[in-house]
Amino acid sequence: MLGAIARWLFVSVYGWRVVGPVPHHLPKAIWVVAPHTTNWDFPIGLGVRPTIHIWIEYLAKSSLFTWYAGWLFRALGGRPVYRDKSRNMVDAVADVLNKADQLHICIAPEGTRSDVEKLKTGFYYMALKANVPLILTGFDWTNRRVILSEPLYVTGNYEQDMLPFYEFFSKVPGKKKTWLKRWEATGVM
């Protein structure tokens, strides 16, 4: 019921659509979403799931999972991220992916809605350790499209693997953060 409402809002009311190959054949993947510029990214993401018929969970800062709102974020597919130095998030998420038969997780590699100079690289190493593909997911606010890439499998050669990543996000219309502008100008990741 909630999925049908989210899909109706996403498609019929707000006019968004999903463009690109929907990876129904993949039991597991990490969905990498950028640019993350607004709180509205969250409801748009919720509208994508029933539209493409894939349940995608998401990682969010633990402070959102309070006693009064945590139940809602969990019900919507959220998993809290504890950002202290004693936890190895990459290994923890890779372990969860390795143990699951089917799991799709969404990550915003910028880690914030603010401008950033560099991406966080945890998503890359999670995919490498769990041997799951990345699905690059661009939010094109200009044309109200969520753009999906072909699955991108990483090999451990970071520079080589990330080239199609930067090329993909460079083609997504709209706001670009410093990490992408720098790459477009210099080729430096």
Side-chain angles (χ1 to χ4, degrees), residues 17 57-58 124 155 168:
R17 65 188 192 284
E57 297 182 29
Y58 61 93
Y124 177 87
T155 64
F168 174 85

Side-chain angles (χ1 to χ4, degrees), residues 151-168:
L152 175 64
Y153 289 88
V154 298
T155 64
N157 183 335
Y158 184 81
E159 296 268 329
Q160 180 181 326
D161 292 341
M162 290 299 286
L163 184 59
F165 178 95
Y166 279 82
E167 289 171 344
F168 174 85

Side-chain angles (χ1 to χ4, degrees), residues 24-42:
H24 289 116
H25 63 289
L26 294 175
K28 301 184 226 182
I30 295 175
W31 297 64
V32 184
V33 178
H36 180 31
T37 58
T38 173
N39 284 333
W40 286 103
D41 292 345
F42 182 71

Side-chain angles (χ1 to χ4, degrees), residues 118 158-160 162-163 166 179 182-183 186-189:
K118 284 189 83 154
Y158 184 81
E159 296 268 329
Q160 180 181 326
M162 290 299 286
L163 184 59
Y166 279 82
W179 65 268
R182 184 182 64 241
W183 177 80
T186 66
V188 175
M189 294 180 195

Side-chain angles (χ1 to χ4, degrees), residues 118-161:
K118 284 189 83 154
L119 293 176
K120 296 181 180 290
T121 59
F123 72 93
Y124 177 87
Y125 294 103
M126 290 171 191
L128 184 64
K129 288 184 176 206
N131 194 29
V132 298
L134 301 174
I135 306 298
L136 309 181
T137 309
F139 279 22
D140 173 4
W141 284 91
T142 305
N143 301 299
R144 294 185 184 219
R145 299 180 308 163
V146 174
I147 305 168
L148 305 179
S149 74
E150 293 285 344
L152 175 64
Y153 289 88
V154 298
T155 64
N157 183 335
Y158 184 81
E159 296 268 329
Q160 180 181 326
D161 292 341

Side-chain angles (χ1 to χ4, degrees), residues 21-178:
V22 178
H24 289 116
H25 63 289
L26 294 175
K28 301 184 226 182
I30 295 175
W31 297 64
V32 184
V33 178
H36 180 31
T37 58
T38 173
N39 284 333
W40 286 103
D41 292 345
F42 182 71
I44 295 303
L46 293 179
V48 168
R49 296 187 311 194
T51 302
I52 64 172
H53 306 289
I54 297 176
W55 180 257
I56 305 166
E57 297 182 29
Y58 61 93
L59 302 177
K61 59 186 174 183
S62 60
S63 62
L64 294 174
F65 293 81
T66 58
W67 65 269
Y68 57 86
W71 66 272
L72 177 61
F73 286 112
R74 282 183 180 84
L76 294 173
R79 291 178 181 242
V81 173
Y82 300 92
R83 295 179 177 176
D84 63 30
K85 297 287 183 203
S86 66
R87 300 178 199 266
N88 184 327
M89 197 64 202
V90 170
D91 288 339
V93 172
D95 189 48
V96 168
L97 281 160
N98 282 324
K99 289 178 180 174
D101 291 330
Q102 196 164 15
L103 181 60
H104 290 254
I105 294 178
C106 174
I107 295 176
E110 297 155 330
T112 179
R113 293 179 311 273
S114 303
D115 191 22
V116 293
E117 302 265 335
K118 284 189 83 154
L119 293 176
K120 296 181 180 290
T121 59
F123 72 93
Y124 177 87
Y125 294 103
M126 290 171 191
L128 184 64
K129 288 184 176 206
N131 194 29
V132 298
L134 301 174
I135 306 298
L136 309 181
T137 309
F139 279 22
D140 173 4
W141 284 91
T142 305
N143 301 299
R144 294 185 184 219
R145 299 180 308 163
V146 174
I147 305 168
L148 305 179
S149 74
E150 293 285 344
L152 175 64
Y153 289 88
V154 298
T155 64
N157 183 335
Y158 184 81
E159 296 268 329
Q160 180 181 326
D161 292 341
M162 290 299 286
L163 184 59
F165 178 95
Y166 279 82
E167 289 171 344
F168 174 85
F169 285 110
S170 183
K171 293 175 185 167
V172 175
K175 185 175 182 176
K176 295 186 193 277
K177 293 188 181 182
T178 300

